[in-house]
Amino acid sequence: MAFPEQRLRRLRRNETIRRMVRETALSIDDLILPLFVIHGTGVRNPIPSMPGHFQLSIDELRKEIKEVQDLGIPAVILFGIPEHKDEVGSEAYHKEGIIQQAIKAIKDTAPQVLVITDVCLCEYTSHGHCGVIKGGDVDNDSTIEILAREALSHAEAGADMVAPSDMMDGRVWAIRKALDENGFSHIPIMSYAAKYASSYYGPFREAAESAPAFGDRRSYQMDPGNSDEALREVELDIEEGADIVMVKPALPYLDIIRRVRDTFPYPVAAYNVSGEYSMIKAAERLGWIDGEKVMLETLLSIKRAGADLILTYFAKDAARILAEGRI
Ligand code: PBG
Ligand code: ZN
């Protein structure tokens, strides 16, 4: 049957019918809010390229986490700005490091909020790379040992989940092994499995003070031209013990999210990264787009592509709109 009997516009006539046949819905349970934590007290440094986001000291983080809990956002992911940086990023696994303190503060303030920690070294190394430098490049096998120590120290501080974002080979295996050998076999790993060498991370590097001092991250993060390789990355991470696999960035890589979703029966997360956020905020400020509508369309598109979870700087904005029943 075709036109004139078939008319697809019949199911688009009003909002009620559109809601009834809509295939994808955004839910508050899909959202993970990234937060930046810094030493000090009473610190709430605005991040210029990310309006509405701040570097927060622990006391400010406690206020923020209460708001997160009240909004019903299920989880946060933490990034730390350390006091001291060195060649190997040793503050990353320090017992009293910034993230370790932050985890305890959150668990003490709002125990139901799930705490995920980003596991990487770029915030902690003096050179800003995601691992230890040897011969001008990041050395894989010594880096994964440090990452395992970092993940373990997050678990010891009370993290509910760890999320390695470094893109070293074998790091999920090394982290899973360290957790299992130390009584943390119940702690899941969300791996940044298909993480691209993207220019969309610019605002984040300002927020986390983690831009590389020389070169770039293309010897470890994925080439934007590749798609089959993303499936190999995801497959290996699952074999090594990943429980949730992530694609990052989200919007320019919706095709990758869909391929991963169709290929692997595992929860898929997508990271709607800093540059994706900043672009919408900037265009909104200029009065060029309706920021709220573009945000909702963006998040819905990421879900429609196949993501189960979305890490997004819009989490609070989206949660408010969902709570008000405006979508
Ligand atoms: C650290 C890390 C980065 C992001 C998350 N974890 C930056 C990078 O790889 O340079 C980017 C997040 C964002 O842009 O919002 N490895
Ligand atoms: Zn890194």
Side-chain angles (χ1 to χ4, degrees):
M1 210 175 24
F3 185 81
E5 290 83 6
Q6 190 61 268
R7 289 176 183 269
L8 295 183
R9 287 183 60 193
R10 282 183 202 121
L11 299 184
R12 298 178 197 146
R13 288 191 64 233
N14 57 56
E15 182 52 18
T16 307
I17 192 102
R18 287 193 294 272
R19 274 176 52 194
M20 290 169 71
V21 300
R22 191 166 293 143
E23 298 169 38
T24 310
L26 191 63
S27 150
I28 205 155
D29 295 327
D30 307 331
L31 304 172
I32 301 171
L33 175 69
L35 292 173
F36 300 97
V37 200
I38 194 164
H39 287 278
T41 43
V43 183
R44 197 175 176 83
N45 294 334
I47 300 157
S49 54
M50 299 175 71
H53 285 270
F54 306 85
Q55 296 176 331
L56 302 168
S57 55
I58 303 280
D59 53 326
E60 292 291 324
L61 176 69
R62 286 182 191 269
K63 295 181 199 161
E64 183 77 14
I65 212 72
K66 281 192 195 126
E67 208 185 321
V68 166
Q69 179 172 254
D70 292 345
L71 284 166
I73 296 169
V76 294
I77 181 161
L78 302 180
F79 298 93
I81 299 118
E83 198 121 60
H84 305 290
K85 302 188 187 221
D86 60 27
E87 281 290 305
V88 296
S90 55
E91 210 181 302
Y93 52 85
H94 196 284
K95 220 173 170 314
E96 294 299 318
I98 186 67
I99 289 297
Q100 290 77 359
Q101 290 182 39
I103 297 164
K104 288 180 200 141
I106 295 176
K107 284 290 141 195
D108 175 54
T109 312
Q112 308 95 289
V113 176
L114 193 102
V115 178
I116 307 170
T117 56
D118 184 86
V119 174
C120 202
L121 297 180
C122 49
E123 294 109 287
Y124 304 93
T125 50
S126 42
H127 44 72
H129 276 287
C130 302
V132 181
I133 301 291
K134 271 188 199 158
D137 197 4
V138 174
D139 182 64
N140 196 88
D141 297 10
S142 51
T143 296
I144 65 175
E145 283 174 31
I146 303 178
L147 292 166
R149 280 181 78 173
E150 180 183 8
L152 179 59
S153 94
H154 292 172
E156 284 167 349
D160 297 297
M161 191 185 300
V162 293
S165 70
D166 53 285
M167 289 300 280
M168 297 302 121
D169 291 318
R171 90 285 201 194
V172 173
W173 167 82
I175 291 170
R176 185 72 272 159
K177 188 161 165 289
L179 293 175
D180 290 357
E181 286 173 0
N182 290 279
F184 295 103
S185 58
H186 56 287
I187 298 294
I189 299 174
M190 173 167 72
S191 77
Y192 289 67
K195 176 173 175 177
Y196 286 86
S198 172
S199 299
Y200 284 87
Y201 307 151
F204 171 94
R205 291 179 188 169
E206 181 183 25
E209 300 178 13
S210 63
F214 62 89
D216 52 45
R217 305 208 199 290
R218 286 184 293 176
S219 83
Y220 40 105
Q221 298 180 348
M222 280 182 60
D223 190 296
N226 294 354
S227 172
D228 291 344
E229 189 193 1
L231 301 186
R232 298 204 294 276
E233 280 287 2
V234 170
E235 184 174 23
L236 284 170
D237 280 9
I238 290 170
E239 279 173 16
E240 290 176 25
D243 301 280
I244 300 175
V245 288
M246 193 200 298
V247 175
K248 178 186 173 195
L251 205 50
Y253 297 88
L254 293 180
D255 56 323
I256 308 298
I257 297 173
R258 171 48 57 188
R259 284 193 79 187
V260 171
R261 153 57 53 245
D262 286 344
T263 312
F264 301 99
Y266 281 77
V268 177
Y271 202 139
N272 176 221
V273 302
S274 57
E276 299 174 54
Y277 177 81
S278 302
M279 289 195 302
I280 294 176
K281 287 288 177 189
E284 177 182 43
R285 283 193 168 186
L286 287 165
W288 289 352
I289 58 169
D290 180 329
E292 193 175 288
K293 290 211 174 92
V294 171
M295 163 187 79
L296 292 171
E297 185 178 333
T298 301
L299 296 175
L300 190 66
S301 301
I302 295 167
K303 269 215 91 175
R304 192 196 59 236
D308 302 294
L309 298 167
I310 308 173
L311 297 91
T312 179
Y313 303 96
F314 289 116
K316 290 204 301 183
D317 297 337
R320 275 187 209 105
I321 293 168
L322 284 163
E324 289 163 14
R326 288 201 279 130
I327 46 165

